[in-house]
Amino acid sequence: MKVVLPGGTGQVGTILDRALTAAGHEVTVVTRHPVRAHDIGWDGATLDRWASAIDGCDAVINLAGRSVSCRYTAENLRAMMTSRVDSARVVGEAIAAAARPPRVWLQMSTATVYAHSLDAAHDEATGVIGGSEAGVPDYWAYSVEIARNWERAQAEARTPATRKVALRSAMVMSPDRGGVFDVLSRLARLGLGGPVAGGAQYVSWIHDTDFVRAVEFLIARDDLDGPVNLASPEPLPHRDFMRALRAAWGVPVGLPAARWMAELGAFALRSDTELLFKSRRVVPGRLRAAGFAFTYPEWEGAAASLVQRARLVRGASGRARESSRTVQPPLRRGSQPGLDRKGRPS
């Protein structure tokens, strides 16, 4: 299978690129910074020579868009909106112009599109789209508008020969450095992984293995289109989520953080508190109805799996660093490898 990944160098793209390539598929990554043999350059906003990669491929998975791991300033929010909407629009134009368009176009979206909720869970059929909740910061509505416009750009693309799926993804958990699991694990290991602002807000998540399996499932199922929630069936309150993560790392205690402390921490990390405070209680209604079975439906097992892999990665990195510091003993004066003390071949 030939797969094109616009925006495929971020955390999620790296996961998909690695897994699909290992499965024997031909993957082309479309990126602003091409460095590898299977990378193609793209500015994220214009139709150019990169579009030829789409002609004849089997699937396009568009992940392009500015990272949400930043301060939600007006400038950054505008960049999030523009980068997502423009990239989706241009990918649609490339598919429409292809002589042999792909069978399916998976467009990244986000579970953030749903309303902040502490009680009812959101599936695709009954979930409430956010933006008008009472008692939450006004700018949270802009995040929802970004998601809605992102999906609208895909839905409005004129690609009649290509099935379209919007991936309303929860946080993808993988042991890769710099990802959300890595950041939360670092806090847990430092003893700082307690509940934030009381910890009642729900965390929706998906193990990277299940994320890849769900993508493959959606590529194969010709009867599924439109929005699909990519989230485990068991979201849980933040306090329970962090307790299970601490247990997986063998850390008995995690200091709680008041709201003002979390705000200071987010500022220091150049991130935003919406990622911590918004309650995302999202469940995979359509995936489960279609027969998809999660390998990691519960967080305790998922966390244990991810911690085990993270320890292997850390151990391998440590051994590599130790090996690089190993030096050969200095040669005696007048000697060379393969020569005796008088300089003759040994």
Side-chain angles (χ1 to χ4, degrees):
M1 181 171 66
K2 294 182 178 181
V3 182
V4 177
L5 291 178
T9 54
Q11 183 209 3
V12 173
T14 298
I15 292 167
L16 284 174
D17 183 10
R18 181 171 59 217
L20 294 173
T21 299
H25 302 299
E26 180 182 331
V27 179
T28 299
V29 174
V30 185
T31 172
R32 292 177 182 272
H33 305 291
V35 294
R36 302 166 301 179
H38 68 300
D39 293 346
I40 296 179
W42 180 37
D43 65 2
T46 57
L47 199 61
D48 206 339
R49 288 175 295 177
W50 66 269
S52 62
I54 285 179
D55 198 334
C57 76
D58 297 290
V60 174
I61 309 172
N62 182 30
L63 310 169
R66 192 202 194 287
S67 172
V68 298
S69 183
C70 63
R71 297 297 296 169
Y72 282 12
T73 63
E75 180 182 359
N76 285 341
L77 287 170
R78 284 193 299 270
M80 287 183 210
M81 176 77 82
T82 302
S83 62
R84 282 159 174 71
V85 173
D86 284 353
S87 65
R89 173 183 54 78
V90 175
V91 167
E93 291 174 358
I95 293 173
R100 297 165 297 163
R103 294 184 296 106
V104 60
W105 168 14
L106 304 184
Q107 171 62 52
M108 195 64 173
S109 183
T110 173
T112 298
V113 73
Y114 293 108
H116 171 83
S117 175
L118 296 172
D119 43 28
H122 300 294
D123 64 15
E124 300 90 338
T126 63
V128 177
I129 302 300
S132 59
E133 306 99 307
V136 302
D138 291 340
Y139 75 92
W140 285 14
Y142 194 80
S143 295
V144 173
E145 196 61 24
I146 291 172
R148 296 179 71 167
N149 287 349
W150 206 4
E151 292 184 9
R152 186 179 298 117
Q154 183 196 32
E156 292 178 351
R158 296 181 180 180
T159 57
T162 301
R163 178 169 53 94
K164 295 182 285 192
V165 181
L167 307 176
R168 289 180 176 172
S169 179
M171 291 186 293
V172 181
M173 298 291 172
S174 83
D176 296 287
R177 294 293 181 134
V180 63
F181 179 80
D182 184 44
V183 172
L184 295 175
S185 292
R186 193 177 310 126
L187 293 174
R189 296 197 307 272
L190 291 172
L192 303 175
V196 172
Q201 67 276 27
Y202 273 76
V203 178
S204 283
W205 57 275
I206 185 169
H207 190 287
D208 63 344
T209 295
D210 282 326
F211 180 84
V212 172
R213 291 180 57 247
V215 166
E216 294 173 329
F217 183 84
L218 291 169
I219 290 174
R221 286 290 296 262
D222 290 335
D223 58 329
L224 292 173
D225 62 5
V228 176
N229 292 348
L230 267 61
S232 81
E234 298 294 336
L236 68 170
H238 181 271
R239 65 171 74 92
D240 299 329
F241 180 90
M242 293 305 297
R243 183 184 300 119
L245 180 58
R246 294 197 308 270
W249 281 108
V251 177
V253 177
L255 294 176
R259 180 175 290 267
W260 67 268
M261 296 167 66
E263 289 172 348
L264 284 177
F267 181 81
L269 294 172
R270 297 188 178 184
S271 186
D272 198 89
T273 54
E274 185 204 36
L275 303 173
L276 286 173
F277 295 159
K278 182 170 181 177
S279 184
R280 296 169 174 84
R281 192 173 184 180
V282 179
V283 292
R286 296 191 68 194
L287 275 179
R288 300 198 84 182
F292 182 81
F294 284 80
T295 303
Y296 298 98
E298 298 179 349
W299 177 234
E300 289 80 1
S305 158
L306 292 164
V307 166
Q308 182 181 32
R309 286 167 56 197
R311 282 178 167 149
L312 289 173
V313 170
R314 292 170 65 205
S317 298
R319 288 191 296 272
R321 287 194 299 270
E322 186 65 28
S323 177
S324 69
R325 287 195 293 265
T326 302
V327 295
Q328 297 297 325
L331 297 171
R332 291 187 295 272
R333 184 184 300 274
S335 67
Q336 298 178 33
L339 302 180
D340 63 16
R341 291 186 178 183
K342 295 184 178 180
R344 297 172 299 193
S346 59

